[in-house]
């Protein structure tokens, strides 16, 4: 995180945020009970199990509570930095 943020919902918060680190755990569940049948380690997924493709960090606005991808907050801050009259 080395870029400024701006909340895309309230459009005023530039300073108060919660950073949420996402941890993916690939598992196989029993379809009847929902119990974990198998936990996959590292890159050893079954042929029909896709690895997690989502962001590592999500951001929550500390003012309005919106949770989005980090890039959403960064892009809005960049847009407003360049579109503001100097």
């Amino acid at each position: 995180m080395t870029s400024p943020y701006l909340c895309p919902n309230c459009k005023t918060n530039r300073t108060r945020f919660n950073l949420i680190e996402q941890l993916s755990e690939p598992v196989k569940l029993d379809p009847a009970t929902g119990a974990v049948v198998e936990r996959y380690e590292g890159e050893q997924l079954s042929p029909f199990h896709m690895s997690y493709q989502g962001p590592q960090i999500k951001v929550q606005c500390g003012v309005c509570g919106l949770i989005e991808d980090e890039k959403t907050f960064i892009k809005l801050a960049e847009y407003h930095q360049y579109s503001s009259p100097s």
Side-chain angles (χ1 to χ4, degrees), residues 30-50:
D30 181 287
T33 66
V36 175
V37 175
E38 185 176 357
R39 294 181 192 277
Y40 299 109
E41 298 295 326
E43 297 296 318
Q44 295 183 322
L45 299 176
S46 72
F48 297 107
H49 194 115
M50 186 175 176

Side-chain angles (χ1 to χ4, degrees), residues 39-84:
R39 294 181 192 277
Y40 299 109
E41 298 295 326
E43 297 296 318
Q44 295 183 322
L45 299 176
S46 72
F48 297 107
H49 194 115
M50 186 175 176
S51 64
Y52 178 68
Q53 302 295 319
Q56 291 296 103
I57 295 179
K58 288 251 187 189
V59 176
Q60 180 182 32
C61 175
V63 174
C64 72
L66 176 75
I67 299 174
E68 288 288 337
D69 291 352
E70 182 183 35
K71 65 183 175 182
T72 305
F73 288 84
I74 292 171
K75 289 296 182 185
L76 191 64
E78 288 174 356
Y79 175 77
H80 280 279
Q81 178 181 7
Y82 296 123
S83 66
S84 298

Side-chain angles (χ1 to χ4, degrees), residues 10-11 14-16 19-20 23 27 32 35 41 44 46 49 59 61-62 66 85:
C10 64
K11 295 180 178 63
R14 292 179 179 265
T15 59
R16 295 177 192 91
L19 300 179
I20 304 164
L23 176 62
V27 296
E41 298 295 326
Q44 295 183 322
S46 72
H49 194 115
V59 176
C61 175
L66 176 75

